Amino acid sequence: MRLKKIFNNNSILVDVGKGQEAIVFGKGVGFEHGKNRQVDSRKIQKIFYLDNKKDKESFNYLFHNIPADIITAVFTVIENARLNYHFEVYDSIYLTLSEHINGAYKLLLAGKYQENEIPDLSTKYPKEYQIAKEALGIINNKLGVEFPNSEIKSIALHFINSKIPNGIAKHEGKSKYIFDTSKLINVVLNVLDNNNVYQNSENRDSFRRFLIHLQYLAKRLWRPPEKQDSIDKKIECDMIKAYPHSYQITQEIFQALDAEFDFHPSDAERVYFIIHIHQILGKKEKE
């Protein structure tokens, strides 16, 4: 790996060969000097491979729009969860939690911060809440502020929603299928985050089933089946009419997947997504 750009003391852009770039994180890795200088692999703690233009834009946005001290705090929080709690999360949390803390930090400094009304799920998710409690301490210490304890609930939701469920392997490595599976799930979770759809005690099983469905979907994208599933058009129309909110979120997900993977779903796949999302929304959609 050769250094291309320094973002801060703990994050850099590197060339990993064959025209591919990656973001590397590690304590003191940004102290490397000189363009094209080889990076000390012993300092590397986390690598994000930038496979396309969208990846580069996402991290450019992160490093150019969110202060370095907030990014450092968030990455410390996530590494604390990994190392001390063996809590594995999808990579999307690096972006979503950084954006959330940045927004909350601005409101706090402006005197406009309001305590959230998120229900307390600590009984159902004790580990996530313990991680969030420690996270708040880390964030307060590194930013020199004092967020109210209600912020623990917001942070906990990010870990609840980004957790890789038991039985779903962590997707790392050079295999195209493995890489695309992790990436596909991150794209979908980002759309759900944007629609304020989170995993909770009521939809936990439905959320898990949906993530497993996404794994199989990624496999089909990588190795398309000989024959696509088909479904009666009337069934699709009935589902769209019955569950408009789920359909709207499904459409947003498919647009994001199309932009990322040139994804063209079958009518049956659309119906599967509507059903999964409807089950996740539960009472929320009925209301």
Side-chain angles (χ1 to χ4, degrees):
M1 293 185 181
R2 296 197 173 276
L3 176 66
K4 291 193 71 174
K5 183 177 182 179
I6 297 174
F7 293 114
N8 55 51
N9 290 340
N10 301 311
S11 56
I12 57 176
L13 176 69
V14 300
D15 181 354
V16 294
K18 297 183 178 180
Q20 188 174 23
E21 295 177 330
I23 303 288
V24 168
F25 299 96
K27 189 174 182 180
V29 74
F31 286 120
E32 305 287 347
H33 295 292
K35 193 174 181 180
N36 292 323
R37 182 170 180 177
Q38 198 162 7
V39 177
D40 185 353
S41 61
R42 293 171 298 180
K43 294 181 179 179
I44 296 174
Q45 296 174 332
K46 181 72 181 175
I47 300 176
F48 287 105
Y49 291 98
L50 305 181
D51 193 51
N52 55 40
K53 183 179 178 181
K54 188 169 183 180
D55 285 338
K56 295 176 184 178
E57 289 175 350
S58 295
F59 279 97
N60 274 332
Y61 169 83
L62 180 66
F63 288 107
H64 289 102
N65 292 276
I66 297 179
D69 52 351
I70 290 178
I71 296 173
T72 301
V74 168
F75 279 63
T76 301
V77 161
I78 296 170
E79 288 308 302
N80 178 62
R82 290 183 187 276
L83 297 175
N84 295 327
Y85 291 90
H86 307 291
F87 194 93
E88 297 298 336
V89 291
Y90 292 109
D91 291 343
S92 58
I93 193 174
Y94 285 90
L95 297 174
T96 58
L97 187 55
S98 293
E99 287 186 325
H100 168 74
I101 296 300
N102 186 45
Y105 179 69
K106 288 179 179 178
L107 290 174
L108 190 67
L109 293 185
K112 297 180 180 179
Y113 181 91
Q114 294 183 342
E115 295 193 24
N116 63 66
E117 298 180 0
I118 297 171
D120 189 331
L121 304 174
S122 57
T123 302
K124 292 287 185 181
Y125 301 101
K127 182 181 284 189
E128 288 84 347
Y129 269 71
Q130 182 59 35
I131 290 171
K133 182 179 179 180
E134 291 182 15
L136 188 63
I138 293 170
I139 290 167
N140 283 340
N141 180 56
K142 287 189 175 293
L143 301 184
V145 295
E146 196 65 38
F147 278 108
N149 286 335
S150 66
E151 186 62 24
I152 292 173
K153 294 185 290 184
S154 295
I155 298 171
L157 270 182
H158 280 272
F159 280 96
I160 290 169
N161 211 33
S162 297
K163 181 182 180 182
I164 299 178
N166 295 331
I168 296 182
K170 182 166 174 55
H171 304 298
E172 290 182 343
K174 295 182 179 179
S175 161
K176 183 178 186 300
Y177 163 58
I178 290 176
F179 180 74
D180 282 353
T181 302
S182 179
K183 198 171 200 178
L184 181 146
I185 291 174
N186 284 342
V187 168
V188 173
L189 288 179
N190 279 333
V191 175
L192 294 182
D193 282 346
N194 291 337
N195 282 276
N196 296 314
V197 178
Y198 300 101
Q199 183 179 172
N200 56 47
S201 58
E202 294 180 354
N203 68 15
R204 179 173 48 192
D205 291 338
S206 297
F207 211 97
R208 172 183 160 79
R209 286 193 293 270
F210 184 46
L211 290 176
I212 292 173
H213 178 82
L214 294 178
Q215 277 198 306
Y216 285 105
L217 173 62
K219 189 173 183 179
R220 292 197 297 274
L221 289 178
W222 178 63
R223 185 179 296 167
E226 295 180 4
K227 184 176 72 172
Q228 281 197 333
D229 292 343
S230 60
I231 198 165
D232 189 312
K233 194 69 179 176
K234 184 178 184 303
I235 294 176
E236 181 186 9
C237 292
D238 288 345
M239 296 297 291
I240 293 172
K241 184 177 180 180
Y243 309 125
H245 191 191
S246 295
Y247 171 67
Q248 172 250 317
I249 294 174
T250 295
Q251 289 296 88
E252 289 184 28
I253 290 173
F254 284 177
Q255 288 170 8
L257 292 177
D258 182 40
E260 193 70 51
F261 299 101
D262 192 24
F263 173 62
H264 304 289
S266 64
D267 292 340
E269 191 64 56
R270 194 184 312 277
V271 171
Y272 298 152
F273 265 68
I274 293 172
I275 292 171
H276 277 297
I277 293 171
H278 168 67
Q279 290 174 335
I280 289 171
L281 291 175
K283 293 179 181 179
K284 185 177 179 181
E285 178 163 42
K286 293 175 184 177
E287 291 169 359

